[in-house]
Amino acid sequence: MRFCLFILFSLLSFELLAQNSSNKKAQNFFERANPFIEKQDYLSAEQVLKSAIEADPSFQNAFITLAGVYNAQKKYAEAKSAYQKAILINKNIAPAVIYGLAETEFATQEYDKAKQHFEEFLALDSSSDRAKKAKKYLLDCDFAAFAIKKPVKYSPTNLGQGVNTTDSEYFPALTADGETLIFTRQVNGNEDFWTSQFKNNTWNSATPLSTKINTTKYNEGAQTISPDGKYLFFTGCNRPDGLGRCDIYVSHREGKDWGEPYNVGKPVNSEYWESQPAISPDGRTLYFISNRPGGSGGYDIWKSTITDDAKWGPAINLGPEINTPYDENTPFLHADGKTLYFSSDGWPGFGNKDIYYSRMDDNDKFQKPINLGYPINSFENESGLIVSADGNLGMFSSNLKDGFGGQDIYSFGIPEIAKPLKISYVKGIVRDKDSKKTIESNVQVIDLKSDKTVFDDYTDPETGQFLAVMPIGGNYLFNVNAEGYMFYSENFELKQGNINKPYQIEVYIERIKQGGNVTLRNIFFDTNKYNLLPASIRELDLLIDFLHQNQTVNIEIQGHTDNVGDDKLNEKLSFNRANAVYEYLVKNEVDAKRLTFKGFGASKPIADNKTEIGRKNNRRTSFVITKI
């Protein structure tokens, strides 16, 4: 804002240099305004300019400068009136004044008049930088005039004194379970991270995040947290290990505390400005803001994806589908992995920065951004939105009238049209089956429809906990494995409308032992057939990995059916299905001497065959360890 005002007053002073007042008293008051403007003491500047106008009511330059001072205080109605009076004094006026009037008319929702004056300005000036912005404002006028007639429901609620204080709080980040909030608080000019837990339907008193991350020497802010709350990406500026003025750093939660943060390095960071990271729910793609060359405008959204060798890949600009010749900032990718929220002053909106959302299509291409609408967006700057995992709640920071001081964090209901895709998640603890102690283990979740890994990480080494996000509509392989243990297999088929709440489970895994039995929940066949379906391959590959890692283990592959139909046919079917698994393993370099297979038909049920769920559980493929 300071830069814009400097340009505004410099241009106006240059264009209106000859328009001094012949009234010495008025001219003296006018000249006294400049030092106040330079110090941003706009109230004092306002008073002396009013005195100048009182001494000379036809002092056009004083009216124009007063309009600029009003604008600096966001007194748009008063600024508009000052511009109008200046033009009445002499219609032969600098184009910049017409532009200023049009801006204030836009800010006060007089879109038809604003459009008329922007067009009048462009007739006088069609090639300057201001002309480019005026052309953009014409699009804004058409959009805003339509959108303001169709307001969306908007009722922001302060998060309360557990989070907000007389200092400024902003940049909220929320875990997928909605229980942990991390945000930035500025105290005496220093920015640090604080965290609050949601308990008993309220946000508890916030505490500093960690002395390993927070510093007194540098500012920490503009952060994002992975859905499981284990990885914090944030912005650090002017640090000794920085590549540019601001870089992106990451810290990994270790038990109850956080690890030392480290610079994610090139090619994410560069000698330019990188900030405002947003991590995808699978932890593989990092979105961020940069002003590096090769973008569409000043500040663009870029992304980098982890490669097969576990390094960040090249930084890729999101392109004209998202970025504009103006500025984009504060990206947030929802836990659905598809819906991107961000701010921009380049797409048609209500002026300044508005919040937009864009959804990936089936080819992973972002669609045209959509404005969240009025009054969520307005002529003021709106940015920094995050959305809860269930898609119902948005969080942002603002200095609304009911605040505690400075900026506070608020929540509001996301309009139905702007909600992300539905998701669920599985949250749990992994334990040793015999000792019941928690285990650090690897958890994988794979979308069998897209063949994409949506989660692949280790449980917390101290608590054994994990949280994995799963968008509704997928069919998911869920696997838990740890060194020296038999793996755990489960399947989650998340159909639209059949998910009432997330899954919360305790997983018990057994040490490798003779007689140990594992049911493979992700081996699929068509009804009454024994050809392996493509969705089975990921589970089979995990079994191959297990056998390669445990070279002394021999197994018997077992096929089972429910009790529907002829017993002999069921036994034959189960035998052929077990044989299909055996043949796949041998084909993929598992020594046949380590394998046997057998079909049991319906003779070994694990559930009641009287229900469909029971029969489904009985139709299974499993293996038993015959030798270790």
Side-chain angles (χ1 to χ4, degrees):
M1 186 180 73
R2 196 180 314 170
F3 175 76
C4 293
L5 286 169
F6 173 78
I7 294 295
L8 173 65
F9 288 123
S10 297
L11 286 172
L12 290 180
S13 298
F14 176 79
E15 292 169 334
L16 303 170
L17 190 61
Q19 299 181 19
N20 294 330
S21 174
S22 59
N23 184 311
K24 290 184 178 181
K25 184 178 180 181
Q27 185 64 32
N28 180 56
F29 277 123
F30 179 78
E31 291 173 358
R32 285 170 57 189
N34 287 332
F36 291 127
I37 292 171
E38 290 175 0
K39 293 187 294 184
Q40 299 182 54
D41 183 358
Y42 300 124
L43 287 176
S44 297
E46 180 184 330
Q47 293 305 313
V48 294
L49 288 169
K50 286 180 177 179
S51 296
I53 291 168
E54 186 177 352
D56 181 0
S58 64
F59 194 174
Q60 189 182 55
N61 205 0
F63 276 110
I64 295 169
T65 307
L66 179 60
V69 169
Y70 280 138
N71 269 331
Q73 301 173 80
K74 300 182 180 180
K75 298 178 179 179
Y76 302 121
E78 291 88 339
K80 178 175 63 178
S81 177
Y83 280 130
Q84 290 170 336
K85 290 175 181 177
I87 293 171
L88 283 174
I89 292 170
N90 184 351
K91 293 185 178 180
N92 185 21
I93 201 164
V97 178
I98 299 172
Y99 179 91
L101 173 60
E103 266 199 322
T104 57
E105 288 171 333
F106 186 90
T108 54
Q109 301 176 10
E110 292 188 284
Y111 300 119
D112 290 340
K113 290 183 179 180
K115 185 175 182 179
Q116 174 189 334
H117 285 117
F118 280 126
E119 290 173 341
E120 183 179 338
F121 165 78
L122 286 168
L124 300 170
D125 178 356
S126 61
S127 59
S128 67
D129 288 341
R130 199 182 281 147
K132 294 178 183 177
K133 188 64 184 290
K135 293 173 184 177
K136 197 268 179 182
Y137 263 129
L138 288 177
L139 299 176
D140 291 341
C141 286
D142 290 337
F143 171 83
F146 173 80
I148 204 167
K149 295 175 183 177
K150 295 186 175 182
V152 297
K153 186 177 180 180
Y154 178 60
S155 182
T157 301
N158 193 295
L159 291 197
Q161 59 186 2
V163 171
N164 296 314
T165 66
T166 55
D167 295 304
S168 284
E169 287 80 23
Y170 42 90
F171 281 126
L174 190 66
T175 54
D177 58 10
E179 294 178 2
T180 301
L181 177 72
I182 296 176
F183 59 93
T184 303
R185 177 178 289 169
Q186 186 181 99
V187 181
N188 297 324
N190 182 258
E191 293 177 313
D192 281 331
F193 294 125
W194 291 67
T195 183
S196 175
Q197 300 296 315
F198 192 72
K199 294 181 179 179
N200 300 320
N201 208 34
T202 190
W203 288 104
N204 290 0
S205 294
T207 56
L209 184 64
S210 172
T211 55
K212 292 182 179 179
I213 299 178
N214 291 335
T215 66
T216 56
K217 190 175 183 180
Y218 307 107
N219 286 335
E220 296 79 34
Q223 77 284 1
T224 184
I225 192 167
S226 59
D228 61 2
K230 292 174 64 176
Y231 294 90
L232 183 75
F233 292 83
F234 67 94
T235 307
C237 297
N238 304 314
R239 294 186 173 222
D241 60 345
L243 304 180
R245 185 167 66 87
C246 290
D247 282 6
I248 295 171
Y249 292 76
V250 63
S251 175
H252 178 243
R253 186 163 60 83
E254 301 171 347
K256 295 181 179 179
D257 201 359
W258 292 82
E260 293 287 346
Y262 62 89
N263 191 307
V264 301
K266 292 184 177 181
V268 172
N269 292 320
S270 70
E271 63 269 31
Y272 296 92
W273 187 88
E274 281 79 34
S275 182
Q276 301 170 8
I279 191 67
S280 63
D282 62 4
R284 297 186 60 83
T285 301
L286 184 67
Y287 296 81
F288 58 95
I289 300 296
S290 179
N291 64 347
R292 67 181 69 194
S296 302
Y299 292 89
D300 280 359
I301 303 176
W302 298 68
K303 70 174 183 178
S304 173
T305 299
I306 290 178
T307 60
D308 291 338
D309 58 356
K311 295 181 180 179
W312 290 107
I316 299 173
N317 190 282
L318 292 197
E321 290 80 12
I322 295 295
N323 294 315
T324 69
Y326 295 89
D327 290 335
E328 282 67 45
N329 67 15
T330 58
F332 171 77
L333 186 71
H334 187 261
D336 68 359
K338 294 283 189 179
T339 309
L340 179 71
Y341 299 87
F342 66 99
S343 292
S344 172
D345 58 3
W347 293 96
F350 296 92
N352 293 309
K353 284 188 173 65
D354 282 1
I355 300 170
Y356 299 80
Y357 72 94
S358 173
R359 193 111 59 208
M360 277 187 194
D361 60 20
D362 292 338
N363 297 315
D364 292 341
K365 298 291 185 182
F366 282 111
Q367 299 171 338
K368 185 178 180 180
I370 298 174
N371 192 295
L372 255 65
Y374 178 84
I376 295 173
N377 289 319
S378 69
F379 184 74
E380 302 296 338
N381 279 316
E382 283 83 29
S383 64
L385 174 71
I386 67 167
V387 178
S388 61
D390 63 11
N392 293 326
L393 203 66
M395 285 188 180
F396 72 111
S397 60
S398 185
N399 55 353
L400 302 181
K401 292 180 180 179
D402 64 343
F404 292 85
Q407 285 194 315
D408 283 359
I409 298 176
Y410 289 79
S411 64
F412 68 96
I414 294 292
E416 198 65 35
I417 192 173
K419 286 184 177 180
L421 302 176
K422 294 290 186 182
I423 71 153
S424 186
Y425 60 82
V426 55
K427 179 181 181 181
I429 298 175
V430 179
R431 299 182 185 275
D432 181 292
K433 186 175 181 180
D434 295 322
S435 70
K436 305 300 186 292
K437 292 181 179 179
T438 60
I439 305 171
E440 183 179 10
S441 54
N442 177 242
V443 177
Q444 291 178 301
V445 180
I446 298 167
D447 187 336
L448 295 174
K449 289 184 178 180
S450 65
D451 197 35
K452 290 182 178 180
T453 299
V454 298
F455 184 86
D456 186 357
D457 203 354
Y458 284 85
T459 59
D460 189 288
E462 292 186 18
T463 66
Q465 294 179 333
F466 66 89
L467 188 155
V469 170
M470 304 178 296
I472 302 295
N475 184 19
Y476 296 96
L477 176 157
F478 176 81
N479 177 274
V480 180
N481 63 85
E483 186 176 354
Y485 286 82
M486 297 184 293
F487 67 80
Y488 176 91
S489 170
E490 187 53 86
N491 175 268
F492 297 103
E493 187 174 8
L494 306 188
K495 296 180 180 179
Q496 294 284 351
N498 72 339
I499 305 301
N500 297 320
K501 59 183 180 180
Y503 297 91
Q504 301 210 28
I505 63 175
E506 284 193 76
V507 175
Y508 293 91
I509 56 178
E510 290 185 276
R511 290 194 174 275
I512 295 173
K513 62 182 180 181
Q514 191 163 329
N517 191 316
V518 174
T519 298
L520 301 169
R521 302 286 185 186
N522 298 281
I523 304 296
F524 305 104
F525 304 91
D526 282 331
T527 302
N528 294 326
K529 294 183 179 180
Y530 52 86
N531 296 320
L532 286 165
L533 294 178
S536 307
I537 302 306
R538 292 300 290 268
E539 182 99 306
L540 290 170
D541 288 345
L542 290 171
L543 176 55
I544 291 170
D545 289 343
F546 171 79
L547 292 170
H548 285 334
Q549 292 165 11
N550 300 278
Q551 290 287 336
T552 63
V553 169
N554 292 358
I555 65 171
E556 179 180 83
I557 303 157
Q558 300 182 343
H560 305 270
T561 68
D562 58 29
N563 66 349
V564 177
D566 182 81
D567 287 345
K568 288 187 176 181
L569 290 177
N570 281 337
E571 185 175 332
K572 183 178 180 181
L573 178 64
S574 64
F575 175 87
N576 286 334
R577 287 178 172 179
N579 181 49
V581 173
Y582 168 85
E583 289 182 349
Y584 182 88
L585 298 182
V586 172
K587 182 180 178 181
N588 286 274
E589 301 182 350
V590 177
D591 189 347
K593 295 178 181 178
R594 300 174 60 192
L595 307 174
T596 57
F597 61 94
K598 188 173 182 180
F600 290 90
S603 64
K604 290 192 174 184
I606 58 174
D608 191 339
N609 275 305
K610 293 180 180 180
T611 67
E612 176 52 37
I613 293 177
R615 290 190 294 273
K616 181 179 179 181
N617 287 331
N618 288 331
R619 298 189 297 269
R620 69 195 189 279
T621 303
S622 61
F623 71 85
V624 174
I625 295 178
T626 57
K627 180 183 175 182
I628 59 173

